[in-house]
Amino acid sequence: MRAPFRGGTLVWERGIDRTRPPPVPQTCHGGVRWRAPCGCCNVVSRTHTPRARRTPDGSSMAENSTHRISADDLSAFVKRLFLAAHTPDDIAECAARILVNADLAGHPSHGVLRIPDYLRQIEAGGMDTSARPEITRELPGTASVDARRGWGHHAAHWSMDLAIRKARDTGMAGVSLDNCNHIGRLGEYAEQAAAAGCIGIATFGFGGPGAGAAAPYGGTQRALGTNPIAIGVPTGDDTPFVSDFATTIIADGKIRLAQAEGAQLPPDYILDRDGRPSTNPDDFFDGGSLLLAGGHKGYALSLATCLLAALTGRYDAENKRIVGVFVMAIDIGAFQDAESYASDVRAFLRGITDNPPAPGIEKVLAPGEMEQRSREARTAHGIDLPIVVWRRLCDGAERLGTPIP
């Protein structure tokens, strides 16, 4: 497992990645053109490239300082922001918890860094903060859900909960989720199922000519999103197995984080607009593209997420595009004793990780263990936010008249 590295380079931690659903026209990042000024760069009607603020000596503020805040204080602050944006209390609580949990788990690319984008989307009319998901089609073991352009985090959590409840009766259940905003870290929903004693699967798929941020294997033009896949399995303790990865080498959220920190990317992760390898995050937002993980294998997995997304039944024939979320829960108790299964999984994983580590590696870890270590450390000591992220949150709070902790 790759060790994190810091300084002037991306804080890279292997683990949970995913992309957004296709943004509404007012959405800022990803090369979508703005109709109104963007809150972090005041650019009008051009492709937005968010940039880290600079100190007088020219270095990035994010390289020099962070703002530390406890998880409880950050959660309360985020919830107040969402309430001020006319979000119902229970939805605000759910979205805030999921976002802060991403930061706790060591994946800030899908944490509170995203909130300024959400607030701008709300201001532009691209999100209905009071909308609640609705079932549009249902059988005992399946459901189609319309998120109604509300908070994606709440809609995805609600849909996985629905799948879990159905799986108790049918053994396994799947739910397709349509008309959905960004749902954040997919590992959240895999963990949700594992905590309920189920195996959880969550995928997001987005593809079509000119869509997403990655070219198909052998191609040169964008046609696929980062299209992540997450699987969660209970282990009988507080550290479930959670495999969660984008089908691209890196997710766009990691690029945003690097850009906010004034950092460079590792080589061979992105191409610039002319198809040349680049380490500059700005090149991605200026028409560049992501590379698929594993070449043709990542390409096949990326397409598979799109085909699962097509279960929403909303194929865009005019633009030849598919987008959607699919979640599934498998009730272990329908197959065998759930406690025995979880105990066997932990014993199996322990046998795998009790492997002599390679030079430079402290210990072999199973997926999910790095996130739990991070969660414990940041719960105890606080979450360090890049100063540019903290200031953007404070800017949003000032616009909404929300107290800043």
Side-chain angles (χ1 to χ4, degrees), residues 310-322:
L311 291 171
T312 62
R314 287 184 184 255
Y315 174 62
D316 180 353
E318 180 180 355
N319 296 302
K320 299 181 180 179
R321 290 188 176 187
I322 289 173

Side-chain angles (χ1 to χ4, degrees), residues 10-37:
L10 172 67
V11 182
W12 176 251
E13 295 172 312
R14 182 179 176 186
I16 298 163
D17 293 317
R18 79 211 37 86
T19 190
R20 309 181 311 278
V24 295
Q26 295 84 6
T27 297
C28 182
H29 300 294
V32 176
R33 300 198 179 268
W34 266 71
R35 297 176 182 170

Side-chain angles (χ1 to χ4, degrees), residues 235-282:
T235 58
D237 53 36
D238 61 357
T239 308
F241 171 92
V242 180
S243 172
D244 184 352
F245 57 90
T247 52
T248 50
I249 293 178
I250 189 173
D252 68 333
K254 301 284 188 183
I255 303 175
R256 295 184 195 188
L257 181 63
Q259 194 176 49
E261 294 182 337
Q264 295 292 296
L265 296 167
D268 302 323
Y269 280 26
I270 65 169
L271 303 175
D272 66 17
R273 65 191 308 167
D274 297 317
R276 297 173 300 195
S278 173
T279 60
N280 185 351
D282 290 349

